[in-house]
Amino acid sequence: MSIEEELRARSGSVCELCGADTGLAAYEVAPSDGSADQCILACSICRTQLDNPESVEANHWRCLNDSMWSQVPAVQVIAFRMLHRLRDEGWPQDLLDMMYLEDDVRTWAEAGLAAEKAPRHVDSNGAVLEAGDTVTLIKDLDVKGSSLTAKRGTAVRNIRLVADNPEQIEGKVEGQQIVILTKFVKKSG
Ligand SMILES: [Zn+2]
């Protein structure tokens, strides 16, 4: 059986979140090994909103009122994360308070939350920086441990993000790999 067939058998061919019976496909619940146990069957509306936090319509997720009680851990994980995302609406917090998760399921659910909350690297204007971007220095910077001053206006190409520090990026200035504070750079168009 394919994953989707397994999921259809498990769910009775309906979205395991909202019960819709159209636009169904497997949705991996990250971090996932791709097995049916770590996927859910979800409709296109649910999948779109799961992947695009800005498109979430809180009212659609009233369906979690029922589906949060699913016996399927992957469904519980998604319900937990979505309620968490929406908790400022009030009612999702009430549901979260009622929700019970086994320890290992809770660990899985929270692993996803941590990933969502991972701080992003942003420049002096708040623009999100990605590895490989080019940035411009907005002030003269003395490079630690050398006589080099990186001049304001210098373009730094192909930056790297310092993984454990959202305030730092790395890039080459005059052939030297240096650490630069994100508040001193501006992303180039
Ligand atoms: Zn759905």
Side-chain angles (χ1 to χ4, degrees):
M1 264 205 288
S2 73
I3 298 272
E4 192 171 326
E5 284 166 347
E6 276 186 64
L7 295 175
R8 282 183 178 273
R10 180 174 84 193
S11 64
S13 287
V14 295
C15 174
E16 289 182 282
L17 299 169
C18 75
D21 57 7
T22 53
L24 300 173
Y27 180 88
E28 273 190 36
V29 182
S32 144
D33 59 10
S35 70
D37 284 346
Q38 299 191 354
C39 290
I40 62 170
L41 192 67
C43 71
S44 54
I45 294 173
C46 285
R47 281 181 285 120
T48 303
Q49 295 197 21
L50 284 169
D51 286 338
N52 300 286
E54 63 284 353
S55 75
V56 169
E57 287 171 60
N59 270 334
H60 177 74
W61 297 96
R62 298 239 176 212
C63 59
L64 296 177
N65 219 335
D66 296 321
S67 45
M68 66 184 261
W69 303 109
S70 166
Q71 298 302 306
V72 178
V75 176
Q76 297 170 5
V77 164
I78 288 291
F80 177 88
R81 289 180 191 166
M82 189 49 92
L83 290 171
H84 223 271
R85 206 186 266 176
L86 295 171
R87 65 189 185 282
D88 291 346
E89 302 273 328
W91 60 264
Q93 184 65 54
D94 296 340
L95 296 183
L96 272 180
D97 291 344
M98 283 191 285
M99 202 169 182
Y100 172 78
L101 298 178
E102 299 285 347
D103 285 346
D104 52 339
V105 177
R106 178 170 289 272
T107 305
W108 180 14
E110 287 177 348
L113 286 186
E116 272 180 26
K117 264 193 307 202
R120 314 195 75 175
H121 290 70
V122 296
D123 74 0
S124 53
N125 293 322
V128 175
L129 298 170
E130 316 264 8
D133 279 351
T134 298
V135 299
T136 308
L137 304 183
I138 60 167
K139 67 177 281 221
D140 290 353
L141 301 176
D142 292 321
V143 178
K144 270 198 196 124
S146 82
S147 56
L148 180 68
T149 300
K151 290 282 183 211
R152 175 164 179 253
T154 302
V156 182
R157 288 175 227 291
N158 198 17
I159 61 164
R160 292 211 319 232
L161 307 180
V162 174
D164 53 1
N165 189 339
E167 294 181 355
Q168 294 182 346
I169 57 173
E170 284 179 29
K172 268 197 178 148
V173 173
E174 296 190 22
Q176 272 200 58
Q177 188 78 8
I178 62 169
V179 172
I180 307 166
L181 295 179
T182 54
K183 64 183 173 188
F184 296 141
V185 304
K186 189 161 72 75
K187 183 169 173 152
S188 308

